[in-house]
Amino acid sequence: MQQDSLQKGLLPRHLRMMAIGGMIGAGMFKGSAETVALAGPGVVLAYLFGGALMLIVMAALAEMAGVFPKSDIRDLIARAFGTRAAFIAGWLYWINWVLVMAVEIVAAGAFLQFWFTSTPLWVLSLLVALVIIFINLLHVKYYGEMEFWLASMKVATLLVFIALGGAMMFGAFSAEPAPYFTHYTAHGGFFPRGISGVFASLLVVIFSYGGAELLGLTIAETKDADKVLPRVIKGIVGRVVVFYTLPLLVICGLMPWNEIAQKGSPFVQVLSSVGLSSAAHIMNFIMLTAVFSAANSGMYATSRMLYSLAKGKVAPQAFLTLSKNGVPILGLIVSACSLFIGVFVAYAAPENVFNYLMGIPGFTVMLIWISICVAQLKLRPLYPTQPSFKVALFPYTTWFAVLTLGSIFISIVCNPDNFISTLICISIVVILFIGARFGVVNTPSR
């Protein structure tokens, strides 16, 4: 027997860990050296500032969910700007997650090859994709449960790293003299590349926080979303910022910031220093769970976005078809087929070609975050009822986020290094705009 609506199977703890897990991805464990190289120890300010922007965006989303508890991100954009804008944002978000999924699936296969060296990469990637599809065919509560435990493993790893690394800063587990806080002030100081370095790293930081807005697609599958979402958001933003800033402070405290990129993963170094001979295996497993979690979230996001687009009558109505578990089955099948195509491109295409395509996720995160804030600015005076949770210091905080994110977005577009990626992104938006202009009747959501 088929269901006629999405099932409210997600619990507050699922949402909390889905948000934390979505924001603490493989980049935290693998790409931390990149952000430190851009700004030195001062990169923590970029993460704090980025966290403040994320808080404003997520608070705006929670406020609107309190007024329109049956509306997801696409619905909210449609209410504010009409169905054409929602069509562009929805399809762009779907393309974004298909690309992210493809990259994460290939990465997961590469991490599995660490143990299964003789197995071809495409076979391992295919197996990971099939597991993810199977999980997403189940009732949404099982997806939530899987994400809960995957995110818990990442959080546990960070807590262990903070404790061990912090102890090593004060001389534990090492015969070498304790560095204490000397690396923060030596090697050019706390801001060796100046404020411009912090700003440059902010671009990467915002991308790393991308995924938080995924909560906006869970509203229809969360019981009492109008009450739960504000509590979840208030609880997780601070924790995520801490989980980013403390490990980076530990990393910069243990070694000169300008040597981190040359010495491999700081996480492996710390675990090896305390006598864990299997440190490489442990980190490989954590990295595998991180990319698997990201791909799993991507499959959830793409299938629900197609369902939402169909509900808004800007995608084929067949995407409204649900399985007996309440899963948008056709949306899942189309997303899975797109995933296989994306994995083939990621596997077979020259690296620089796919790197250009991967400019789309950063482009999309910026547009979606800005859209959420501007939607709140427009809808606040039109609320039929007043929510119990409101963004503090409105409209100043929301305008601050819009202007700041807009400035970062413009800097990305104007950066010559991003010319080809920007051209691809603008071309996709233009195609979607033409599709919206001639194929969509521009009416606000009801």
Side-chain angles (χ1 to χ4, degrees), residues 25-109:
M28 175 71 252
F29 302 99
K30 188 178 180 181
S32 52
E34 178 188 355
T35 53
V36 172
L38 288 169
V43 73
V44 296
L45 289 188
Y47 279 98
L48 290 172
F49 187 68
L53 292 175
M54 177 179 63
L55 175 60
I56 297 169
V57 173
M58 298 305 292
L61 182 60
E63 178 186 297
M64 291 186 289
V67 181
F68 308 107
K70 295 182 180 180
S71 298
D72 58 26
I73 291 179
R74 188 209 59 79
D75 292 320
L76 295 171
I77 293 173
R79 284 181 182 275
F81 310 113
T83 49
R84 285 175 181 161
F87 172 89
I88 295 170
W91 281 107
L92 188 62
Y93 197 64
W94 183 83
I95 294 169
N96 159 68
W97 271 110
V98 167
L99 288 171
V100 170
M101 275 197 297
V103 171
E104 303 293 11
I105 290 290
V106 173

Side-chain angles (χ1 to χ4, degrees), residues 217-428:
L217 284 175
T218 68
I219 294 172
E221 293 176 280
T222 304
K223 188 177 180 180
D224 300 324
D226 54 328
K227 299 181 181 68
V228 169
L229 208 57
R231 290 205 309 268
V232 169
I233 288 171
K234 285 190 286 187
I236 61 102
V237 171
R239 295 176 195 176
V240 169
V241 173
V242 167
F243 289 148
Y244 266 105
T245 55
L246 287 185
L248 287 169
L249 284 172
V250 168
I251 290 170
C252 292
L254 286 174
M255 61 191 80
W257 69 270
N258 52 354
E259 295 180 13
I260 292 172
Q262 305 164 14
K263 294 187 176 181
S265 169
F267 292 87
V268 172
Q269 293 176 56
V270 168
L271 293 176
S272 299
S273 298
V274 297
L276 284 175
S277 57
S278 56
H281 290 275
I282 294 171
M283 284 314 304
N284 194 70
F285 175 74
I286 295 299
M287 291 289 291
L288 175 61
T289 62
V291 297
F292 182 89
S293 173
N296 199 31
S297 295
M299 186 60 72
Y300 174 87
T302 50
S303 60
R304 268 53 176 189
M305 181 52 77
L306 289 178
Y307 177 88
S308 177
L309 287 163
K311 189 176 67 171
K313 296 182 170 44
V314 289
Q317 295 299 286
F319 288 133
L320 291 173
T321 304
L322 301 177
S323 70
K324 64 179 181 179
N325 291 323
V327 174
I329 187 66
L330 187 60
L332 184 66
I333 291 171
V334 170
S335 296
C337 292
S338 302
L339 168 63
F340 290 132
I341 294 171
V343 169
F344 175 77
V345 173
Y347 177 73
E351 184 177 349
N352 62 327
V353 172
F354 206 77
N355 284 342
Y356 294 143
L357 291 176
M358 281 312 294
I360 295 174
F363 191 91
T364 304
V365 167
M366 289 291 181
L367 286 181
I368 295 296
W369 281 25
I370 292 170
S371 298
I372 290 170
C373 290
V374 178
Q376 188 227 4
L377 286 169
K378 185 170 182 181
L379 292 176
R380 170 72 87 91
L382 307 176
Y383 287 168
T385 59
Q386 291 303 306
S388 57
F389 173 82
K390 291 184 177 182
V391 174
L393 300 177
F394 178 88
Y396 306 109
T397 46
T398 308
W399 271 115
F400 172 75
V402 170
L403 295 173
T404 304
L405 290 168
S407 299
I408 298 171
F409 181 78
I410 291 170
S411 71
I412 296 171
V413 171
C414 295
N415 188 335
D417 295 337
N418 300 327
F419 176 75
I420 296 178
S421 294
T422 300
L423 193 61
I424 293 171
C425 294
I426 292 175
S427 300
I428 291 174

Side-chain angles (χ1 to χ4, degrees), residues 10-34:
L10 294 175
L11 303 175
R13 67 183 180 89
H14 293 154
L15 296 186
R16 191 175 299 114
M17 296 309 288
M18 281 168 60
I20 291 175
M23 289 178 273
I24 303 176
M28 175 71 252
F29 302 99
K30 188 178 180 181
S32 52
E34 178 188 355

Side-chain angles (χ1 to χ4, degrees), residues 68-150:
F68 308 107
K70 295 182 180 180
S71 298
D72 58 26
I73 291 179
R74 188 209 59 79
D75 292 320
L76 295 171
I77 293 173
R79 284 181 182 275
F81 310 113
T83 49
R84 285 175 181 161
F87 172 89
I88 295 170
W91 281 107
L92 188 62
Y93 197 64
W94 183 83
I95 294 169
N96 159 68
W97 271 110
V98 167
L99 288 171
V100 170
M101 275 197 297
V103 171
E104 303 293 11
I105 290 290
V106 173
F111 290 129
L112 282 172
Q113 264 191 332
F114 183 81
W115 296 301
F116 304 101
T117 53
S118 59
T119 307
L121 177 62
W122 71 268
V123 172
L124 297 173
S125 297
L126 177 62
L127 288 175
V128 173
L130 292 175
V131 171
I132 285 172
I133 293 168
F134 173 74
I135 291 171
N136 280 271
L137 283 169
L138 303 176
H139 192 284
V140 69
K141 68 181 178 182
Y142 296 111
Y143 163 78
E145 202 65 33
M146 174 67 74
E147 283 303 298
F148 175 84
W149 289 108
L150 289 172

